[in-house]
Amino acid sequence: PPPPSNPSNKNDAHSGEDVEKEACFILGLLAIKQEHQHAIADAGALPGLVALLGRHCPTAPAPSGGGPPPGASVVRRAADAITNLAHENVVIKSRVRADGGIAPLVALLESPDAKVQRAAAGALRTLAFKNEENKNMIVEGGALPTLVQMLKSDDPGEFSFVPFFFSPLKFSGVG
């Protein structure tokens, strides 16, 4: 087992964040194969990933020296892992909803970090695709105004993925 961490030591906190980020990245890579998706979910990864999403404060300002807000890279990797786990997997899409994963993803659309916003929107798109309950929860959670605002971004390439988010909603009677 790893040695106990000292919360007053910045290096320990950073190291823990690095471990979480890498674990999320590896789970996301493994989840690309459909046969691994259920094994990962059954091992208890979904509640852990959802918990990581909730730890990041979307409205926290970026550090004065620049760079992403604290925890942004972990949250982005957790959202990406959820995207891969839920890809074409109705059962896992429902489990993410049941574990409370939609609300923090909607909140992350407000992150000051564009990469976090993209990852959250991508996860929401995957969760919405062919899942009426998730679509309704995303809309009821208030995601639409933020997604529409993303369409109006000054940087046309920054949120070019947003129109693709609306396609699963369009065919569901939601939009």
Side-chain angles (χ1 to χ4, degrees), residues 46-47 50-51 53-54 94-105 137:
L46 289 174
V50 169
L53 295 175
S94 295
R95 285 176 70 175
V96 171
R97 181 184 65 251
D99 286 343
I102 291 178
L105 287 167
M137 187 172 272

Side-chain angles (χ1 to χ4, degrees), residues 73-141:
S73 60
V74 173
V75 171
R76 182 171 47 94
R77 295 288 189 195
D80 289 343
I82 288 172
T83 300
N84 291 349
L85 280 166
H87 180 71
E88 295 186 12
N89 194 315
V90 176
V91 172
I92 291 180
K93 288 178 186 186
S94 295
R95 285 176 70 175
V96 171
R97 181 184 65 251
D99 286 343
I102 291 178
L105 287 167
V106 170
L108 289 170
L109 294 174
E110 301 287 341
S111 173
D113 187 317
K115 290 179 182 179
V116 170
Q117 291 176 335
R118 266 194 298 276
L124 289 169
R125 181 184 190 279
T126 297
L127 293 170
F129 188 72
K130 296 183 181 179
N131 191 304
E132 297 302 316
E133 291 178 67
N134 285 357
K135 289 175 192 173
N136 291 334
M137 187 172 272
I138 291 165
V139 171
E140 291 165 8

